Amino acid sequence: MIPTSKNFNAIALSCMIYYWKNNTVFQIDTLMISQDRIYFYEVKNYEGNYFYESGKLFKKPNLEIMDPLIQLKRSESLLRQLIHSLDIHLQIEPFIVFVNPAFTLYQAPDNKSLIFPTQIKNHIHRLNTAPSKIEERHRKLAKRLLSMHISDSPENKLPNYHYDKLQKGLICPNCRAFIETIGKRKYVCTLCNHEDLLDNAVLDSIKEFSILFPDEKITTKIIYDWCRIVPERRIRNILLKHFTKVGHHRWSYYIYK
């Protein structure tokens, strides 16, 4: 996706950035630095039929996957903070590019950041018709970003942790803040106003618990303690609905169906 027009000059790079300011890592699939802006691309090679429903992305028939728009928003925010810390002031245009021609998205949101396979050619043409001149400040920015490239993410090296030392509660999937209040069926994050079913937040929390503690049994008591703000009876009902119960009474636990 690198334009070659004589009018459009840009520096293209791809790297994994370690951002020292908040000890964060984020991936840059493709980034192009032009005269007055930075074109930031997340490249997805999804194949098959997908659809949006209630603000979530699913692969047919009904498999929920991580919404790339959320990933793009996070990476864009980190990139903007980074270039501002370097005293660089360029507009950022973020995009998600679906490159697989066998990809179809139904009920797609009206979002200019999405580029579908049939739109790639027109997008490149638009860049080719936009004049751009590279200066030394652009080259310095590219070199600075490349100097921050790391070959292996520190996130792959998990620190030691203990259950009793971890902060517990439900986490908003949009901004990763802890959810402070819940309703009978839904919750609304007070930080980013993200709204979803309470059951989904509990299920996400159970997945995180299982990843962190794969040898621990999933019980009503432990998930109730892990989620904190959800009534124990509601936890039990969610487990009975989505998991298979093993055993009886105080010795019972749950496994994935």
Side-chain angles (χ1 to χ4, degrees), residues 1 13-15 25-32 39-46 67-79 93-99 113-116 120 123:
M1 280 192 63
L13 55 88
S14 175
C15 56
V25 172
F26 65 101
Q27 176 72 36
I28 294 177
D29 289 341
T30 299
L31 181 147
M32 291 194 297
Y39 297 91
F40 176 57
Y41 299 92
E42 292 277 358
V43 180
K44 300 299 179 184
N45 191 32
Y46 295 163
D67 187 347
L69 284 171
I70 296 177
Q71 177 186 353
L72 182 71
K73 185 176 181 180
R74 172 185 179 272
S75 297
E76 179 194 358
S77 175
L78 290 171
L79 178 61
E93 282 199 32
F95 299 96
I96 298 172
V97 187
F98 299 99
V99 297
S113 295
L114 299 178
I115 301 178
F116 300 106
I120 294 176
H123 179 73

Side-chain angles (χ1 to χ4, degrees), residues 162-171 178-182 198 201-202 205-206 208-209 213 219-235 238:
H162 191 276
Y163 180 85
D164 293 337
K165 301 295 184 180
L166 296 179
Q167 184 176 355
K168 300 168 181 66
L170 297 181
I171 297 177
F178 279 92
I179 299 169
E180 298 179 357
T181 58
I182 60 173
L198 180 59
V202 173
S205 189
I206 294 173
E208 291 179 345
F209 174 82
F213 305 99
T219 66
T220 302
K221 183 177 180 181
I222 194 69
I223 299 303
Y224 169 66
D225 184 65
W226 184 250
C227 295
R228 288 295 166 100
I229 64 173
V230 183
E232 187 172 0
R233 182 176 180 180
R234 184 64 177 273
I235 296 291
I238 293 173

Side-chain angles (χ1 to χ4, degrees), residues 127-193:
L127 294 182
N128 282 337
T129 57
S132 174
K133 182 180 179 181
I134 294 301
E135 302 171 354
E136 184 60 27
R137 62 190 178 102
H138 301 104
R139 297 185 180 90
K140 287 183 178 180
L141 173 59
K143 290 178 180 179
R144 183 59 175 149
L145 292 176
L146 288 174
S147 72
M148 300 170 66
H149 171 69
I150 57 175
S151 58
D152 187 28
S153 169
E155 293 179 358
N156 294 333
K157 302 175 182 178
L158 291 178
N160 293 325
Y161 57 89
H162 191 276
Y163 180 85
D164 293 337
K165 301 295 184 180
L166 296 179
Q167 184 176 355
K168 300 168 181 66
L170 297 181
I171 297 177
C172 173
N174 187 53
C175 68
R176 305 305 295 172
F178 279 92
I179 299 169
E180 298 179 357
T181 58
I182 60 173
K184 291 183 178 181
R185 297 185 64 253
K186 296 183 177 182
Y187 71 87
V188 178
C189 177
T190 55
L191 185 62
C192 69
N193 294 321

Side-chain angles (χ1 to χ4, degrees), residues 20-62:
W20 73 91
K21 186 176 180 180
N22 53 9
N23 198 33
T24 300
V25 172
F26 65 101
Q27 176 72 36
I28 294 177
D29 289 341
T30 299
L31 181 147
M32 291 194 297
I33 304 172
S34 69
Q35 180 175 345
D36 63 349
R37 68 193 61 205
I38 295 174
Y39 297 91
F40 176 57
Y41 299 92
E42 292 277 358
V43 180
K44 300 299 179 184
N45 191 32
Y46 295 163
E47 182 177 355
N49 297 315
Y50 294 73
F51 66 96
Y52 267 99
E53 186 173 280
S54 302
K56 294 182 179 180
L57 181 62
F58 296 86
K59 182 175 183 180
K60 288 192 173 183
N62 196 33

